[in-house]
Amino acid sequence: MNSFDIELVSVSKSFAGIPVVQDLNLQIPRGEFVSILGPSGCGKTTTLNMIAGFNTPSAGDVRVRGKSQNRIPPERRNLGLVFQNYALFPHMTVAENVGFGLRMRGTPKAEIGEAVDAALRSVRLDGFGSRYPKALSGGQQQRVALARAIAPRPSVLLLDEPLSNLDLKLREAMRVELKEIQEQLDMTFVYVTHDQEEAMAMSDRIVVMWQGAIAQQGEPGSIYRNPATRFVADFVGRSNILSVRRSIPGSEYFELCIDGTQIVLRSDCAGNSAVQSCCIRPESISLLNVSDAGTGPQNRLDGVVRRIVNLGAHVELLVEVANGLSLTVLVPSSRSSLVPELASTVTLGIDPQDVQVLSD
Amino acid sequence: MSTIALAAPAAMPSAPARTSGYMVLAPSCLVLTIFFAMPMGTMIGMSFMDAQTLSPTLLNYQRFFSDGLSLAGLYRTAVMSILVAVCVTVLGYPVAYYLARSRSRWRALVFALALAPELAGVVLRTYGWLIILEDRGFINDMLMHLGVIASPLPLSKNLFAVVVGLTHVVLPFGILSLTTSIQGIDPNLERAAQMLGASRLSVIRHIILPLSVPGIVSSLLIAFTMAASAYATPALLGGARFKVLATMIYEQVLFYIDWGFAAVMAIALLIMMLAISFLGIRYETRRSARRSNREGGAS
Ligand SMILES: Nc1ncnc2c1ncn2[C@@H]1O[C@H](COP(=O)(O)OP(=O)(O)OP(=O)(O)O)[C@@H](O)[C@H]1O
Ligand SMILES: [Mg+2]
C-alpha cells in the first residue's frame, strides 16, 4: 500500500488522432485538496473523465490506491463526481437523490435515511429532503449534488467546475464551505477549475495544466510567487511579463536587459543565460517618494502614469517606463495620498527578489 | 409624464404584430374548416339520419349497441390497437435508446434502416407480410417442407397477422418519438448514476425509463391511434375473418350503402381514440405537475 489515492502514470489521450492529454504524471496523496487549473480546452475534463472511468486512456495507467483501473468500469471505482450542471435526477426528491448511491449499494433502508440526513446536514440543507430539484435555487442544487456525491462516502471526490454556474457571492461562500467539508470528511478532493482564485482559495496543491500537459504543480503560494513558465505567470494572477534580451550572472544577482529598452533589472533569482522572460507581480511594485532616493529597492524606474483604473480596494496604474514598455502597478486605494495623477511622473521601486525569472 | 413617454414607443410596434399574429392563422383555419370541421359535421348529421327516408332517427345508435357485431368489432379494434401500441413501444425502445445515445458511425445506418420501411408504403409492406404469413406462405411452406407441421399454422387472417403487420407499419413513428424523448435526457444523469454505483441495467431502470415516460406515452398514443384508424393492413392481413371497425365501416359504405350506420361506427372509433389520448395526456400532465410542485409527495 502506498499513500497515494490517485496516480496517473504517463497517461495520454487522443480523440481521433488529435492528442488532448499528453504524458501526464500526477500523484494525489490521501486527504489532499488538489486543484487541476487550466484554461478552457486544456484537457481538464478529459483527465477527470479518465480518473472516473468514462474515458479510457490511449496510453498509460490510472491507479486508485495503487490498483490499476484500466479495466474497471466507473460504477466499481468507488469515486464520487460532482458535475458542473449538477446532474440531479429530476424525477427524484432531494432525499432520493442523496440516497441513490447507498440504494445502489444495497444499504438497508433505515441506514440510508440516516446517511441522507447526515449528508444533507453537512451541506446545511436539512429539511429539504422532500423537495424536487426543480424547486431549489442553483446554490441549493449545487449542495444537493455535493451531498449526493459524499453520501456513499467515496474514497475520492472529483469535482468538475462545480461552482461555475453560481453568482460571485455564492461562489465565494461555497469555496469556504467546500474546503470545510473536505477537511471534516478527510476526503481526497480533485477539483477541476479554470478560475485561479478558486484554486488558490481552497487547494493544498495546484496542478496547472496547459495544452494537455502539466505546466507546474505545487502549493498555491509557491505557484503564485515562483511561476516556472511564462504561461503560469500569465495564467495565475496578474503579472507584468517582460522579454529578456540577455542576462548577466553577477555575484549576488542577475542582471536582465529588458528587450527593446535600456533598462537593466536585478533579480535574486538563479537563472542562466538562456532566460527569455521575467515576471513582476503588479502589487510588488512600489511607488517611491523623491525623498526615498538612495534607500529602498535596488531597481528604480521613472515613468509616466498613462491610465488609472479604480478596482475598489486597489487602484491599478499603467506606467510607461520607457518607449513601448509599460508596467501595471497595483496600489491600495486606502492610501489615497499615494495615488498619483494621470500623466504625472512617478518613480517605481522593484525589489530584486520580486523579479521572477521564467524558463520559457 | 416620463413613464407614459417611455411606455408609448414600446407599445407601438407590438400592436400591428398582434393582429398579424391572428392573420397568420387564417389560412389554416380555413383549410381546417373545409376539410375537417365540415366533414365531421356532415358525419355527425348522417349518424342521426335514416339511410332510406333521410328522416332523423336514433336507430343507427340503437343498432350499434344491440346487434353484438359492432361492439365486438369495437372490442377487436381496441385489443388490436393496444397490442400494436405495446409491441411498437417495447420493440422500438432499445432501437431508440441506441439511436439517442450512440456516437458510433453505424448510427446513421441504423437510423436509415429504422425509417426506411416508411418509404415502401403501407400496401407494399403488408403484401410482404401476406407472402410470409399466408397458409401457403413462406413460413408455413418451410415448416411443412421440413416436416415440423402437417397442416398450415393459422398465421394469417387473424389478430396475430394484423398485429405483426401493423407493428411493422407503425414502428418507425414509435422509434422517432422515443428517440426524441431519450435524446432530451441529459447524458450526465446516466454518468452520475454510474458514479453512484449503478450498473448499466440499474441506470436504465432507475434513470432512463422513468425519465422517458413522456416518450413512452406518446409512442403508445401514436401507435394506438395509427393502429385503430388503419385500414389497408387489417383489410389484407385480417381479411373477412378478423374485422375491425375500419374495415367494417368500409363494408357498410361500399356493400350496404348504409352511410348512417357507417357514421355511427366512425364516431365510436373516434371517441375511443379521443378517450385514450385524453387519458394519456392527463396522466402525463399530472405526473409532471407533481414533480414541479414545491413540496414533493413521499420522500
Ligand atoms: N469526445 C471528444 N471527441 C473529440 N474531441 C474531444 C472530445 N472530448 C474533448 N475533446 C477535445 O479535447 C479538448 C479538451 O477538452 P476538455 O473537455 O478536456 O477541456 P477542458 O479543459 O475541460 O475545458 P473546459 O474548461 O472548457 O471545460 C478540447 O479541445 C475538446 O474539443
Ligand atoms: Mg471541462
Side-chain angles (χ1 to χ4, degrees):
Chain A
M1 281 296 267
N2 61 27
S3 61
F4 294 119
D5 254 346
I6 304 269
E7 281 172 282
L8 302 184
V9 185
S10 319
V11 166
S12 300
K13 176 73 185 176
S14 32
F15 289 110
I18 302 161
V20 170
V21 171
Q22 294 167 61
D23 198 29
L24 206 69
N25 284 291
L26 183 60
Q27 295 178 319
I28 298 175
R30 186 161 307 159
E32 249 193 26
F33 195 126
V34 175
S35 288
I36 299 179
L37 174 66
S40 187
C42 72
K44 305 184 294 291
T45 299
T46 307
T47 306
L48 209 65
N49 280 341
M50 285 193 286
I51 299 175
F54 295 120
N55 284 342
T56 343
S58 313
D61 201 9
V62 175
R63 294 182 194 151
V64 176
R65 271 150 313 197
K67 248 182 79 193
S68 172
Q69 302 286 306
N70 280 358
R71 309 185 66 90
I72 299 181
E75 63 265 27
R76 287 204 272 120
R77 292 193 179 190
N78 192 28
L79 307 172
L81 177 54
V82 179
F83 293 83
Q84 181 177 350
N85 67 353
Y86 318 143
L88 297 177
F89 307 132
H91 58 302
M92 297 183 194
T93 61
V94 166
E96 287 166 344
N97 264 284
V98 176
F100 188 82
L102 293 164
R103 198 167 134 216
M104 289 301 110
R105 283 164 173 75
T107 313
K109 255 209 158 97
E111 261 175 66
I112 295 182
E114 277 169 36
V116 167
D117 286 343
L120 284 178
R121 227 174 300 125
S122 71
V123 297
R124 297 195 282 121
L125 273 183
D126 18 358
F128 283 74
S130 61
R131 292 227 197 153
Y132 280 95
K134 253 193 198 165
L136 298 177
S137 73
Q140 290 167 335
Q141 292 184 23
Q142 173 59 63
R143 284 157 203 260
V144 175
L146 190 62
R148 183 180 67 179
I150 59 178
R153 293 304 174 107
S155 56
V156 179
L157 192 63
L158 312 173
L159 305 100
D160 192 355
E161 310 202 18
L163 304 185
S164 56
N165 287 351
L166 304 178
D167 65 51
L168 183 65
K169 265 272 174 291
L170 200 53
R171 212 153 60 214
E172 285 173 349
M174 280 303 289
R175 280 178 203 163
V176 179
E177 243 176 80
L178 265 179
K179 181 67 186 159
E180 278 173 6
I181 289 171
Q182 187 260 339
E183 280 169 357
Q184 229 173 49
L185 300 176
D186 196 24
M187 213 178 257
T188 309
F189 272 36
V190 182
Y191 189 97
V192 159
T193 179
H194 60 248
D195 181 337
Q196 48 104 8
E197 266 184 45
E198 222 167 84
M200 287 280 167
M202 293 185 289
S203 319
D204 298 318
R205 203 149 56 92
I206 295 180
V207 177
V208 184
M209 252 184 102
W210 188 42
Q211 295 184 342
I214 294 176
Q216 189 177 359
Q217 54 175 312
E219 280 171 52
S222 88
I223 287 196
Y224 188 80
R225 281 191 309 272
N226 308 311
T229 68
R230 196 184 176 110
F231 167 77
V232 176
D234 194 28
F235 189 72
V236 181
R238 298 176 52 80
S239 54
N240 294 292
I241 295 175
L242 310 174
S243 296
V244 173
R245 182 152 48 89
R246 117 187 111 84
S247 59
I248 313 144
S251 51
E252 289 167 60
Y253 47 73
F254 264 71
E255 278 194 349
L256 307 170
C257 297
I258 303 305
D259 204 12
T261 71
Q262 292 306 309
I263 294 173
V264 174
L265 280 178
R266 295 171 171 191
S267 169
D268 278 354
C269 246
N272 53 40
S273 47
V275 169
Q276 284 179 356
S277 50
C278 69
C279 145
I280 307 164
R281 297 291 183 189
E283 69 275 13
S284 64
I285 304 177
S286 51
L287 289 177
L288 302 180
N289 294 324
V290 191
S291 58
D292 287 344
T295 64
Q298 294 179 14
N299 294 308
R300 302 172 72 92
L301 303 170
D302 291 328
V304 181
V305 180
R306 290 294 178 210
R307 201 176 64 209
I308 302 177
V309 181
N310 199 333
L311 300 176
H314 291 94
V315 175
E316 188 190 275
L317 309 174
L318 191 72
V319 179
E320 187 175 354
V321 291
N323 239 350
L325 180 72
S326 297
L327 293 177
T328 305
V329 181
L330 215 54
V331 187
S333 43
S334 56
R335 292 150 72 189
S336 52
S337 59
L338 274 182
V339 178
E341 295 191 353
L342 205 60
S344 61
T345 307
V346 290
T347 306
L348 305 179
I350 304 165
D351 208 300
Q353 73 179 23
D354 291 328
V355 180
Q356 191 65 39
V357 169
L358 304 175
S359 72
D360 58 30
Chain B
M1 259 303 281
S2 63
T3 45
I4 294 165
L6 279 173
M12 279 251 285
S14 71
R18 209 173 297 150
T19 37
S20 66
Y22 288 117
M23 293 304 286
V24 171
L25 292 178
S28 46
C29 282
L30 195 70
V31 168
L32 274 178
T33 314
I34 296 174
F35 293 104
F36 181 72
M38 276 169 45
M40 279 296 284
T42 317
M43 190 178 76
I44 291 170
M46 277 193 311
S47 74
F48 291 103
M49 234 186 269
D50 189 280
Q52 260 83 52
T53 64
L54 299 181
S55 53
T57 174
L58 279 175
L59 274 179
N60 290 325
Y61 284 93
Q62 217 172 36
R63 186 177 148 205
F64 182 85
F65 287 106
S66 60
D67 75 353
L69 288 175
S70 316
L71 283 180
L74 180 67
Y75 174 74
R76 277 194 302 272
T77 310
V79 168
M80 168 197 80
S81 306
I82 289 169
L83 285 176
V84 171
V86 171
C87 288
V88 162
T89 307
V90 169
L91 292 177
Y93 202 92
V95 182
Y97 183 74
Y98 173 84
L99 288 177
R101 284 293 184 256
S102 167
R103 268 179 287 159
S104 126
R105 59 207 149 103
W106 300 110
R107 188 187 170 278
L109 184 70
V110 173
F111 194 68
L113 283 178
L115 302 188
E118 263 346 280
L119 298 175
V122 175
V123 177
L124 199 65
R125 274 181 295 160
T126 301
Y127 267 114
W129 280 110
L130 203 55
I131 291 167
I132 295 172
L133 298 174
E134 265 179 333
D135 282 355
R136 307 275 338 153
F138 176 73
I139 292 182
N140 277 323
D141 256 7
M142 199 167 72
L143 290 179
M144 273 157 54
H145 190 77
L146 292 173
V148 181
I149 49 172
S151 57
L153 292 173
L155 294 178
S156 66
K157 309 294 174 201
N158 57 13
L159 177 66
F160 169 79
V162 177
V163 169
V164 167
L166 275 178
T167 299
H168 185 211
V169 171
V170 177
L171 191 58
F173 296 93
I175 289 176
L176 274 183
S177 84
L178 287 167
T179 306
T180 317
S181 169
I182 296 172
Q183 262 169 348
I185 302 172
D186 178 5
N188 274 350
L189 296 184
E190 289 170 71
R191 296 173 152 208
Q194 255 182 297
M195 286 308 285
L196 290 164
S199 63
R200 288 308 296 165
L201 213 64
S202 298
V203 171
I204 289 178
R205 192 169 135 227
H206 296 292
I207 310 296
I208 300 299
L209 269 179
L211 286 176
S212 57
V213 166
I216 294 174
V217 169
S218 72
S219 163
L220 287 172
L221 287 184
I222 289 173
F224 183 91
T225 44
M226 283 185 76
S229 56
Y231 169 74
T233 310
L236 286 169
L237 289 172
R241 262 193 278 156
F242 185 82
K243 287 189 203 165
V244 291
L245 280 183
T247 46
M248 287 161 76
I249 293 168
Y250 182 79
E251 230 173 33
Q252 284 302 322
V253 171
L254 218 69
F255 300 143
Y256 305 113
I257 323 189
D258 192 343
W259 286 79
F261 192 53
V264 171
M265 289 201 283
I267 289 170
L269 183 61
L270 193 70
I271 287 175
M272 178 178 74
M273 294 197 289
L274 285 178
I276 291 281
S277 304
F278 175 76
L279 284 179
I281 290 165
R282 200 181 62 161
Y283 170 73
E284 201 21 58
T285 40
R286 285 208 173 162
R287 239 178 59 91
S288 56
R290 201 180 59 212
R291 212 188 288 158
S292 49
N293 280 347
R294 281 185 61 79
E295 293 290 332
S299 64

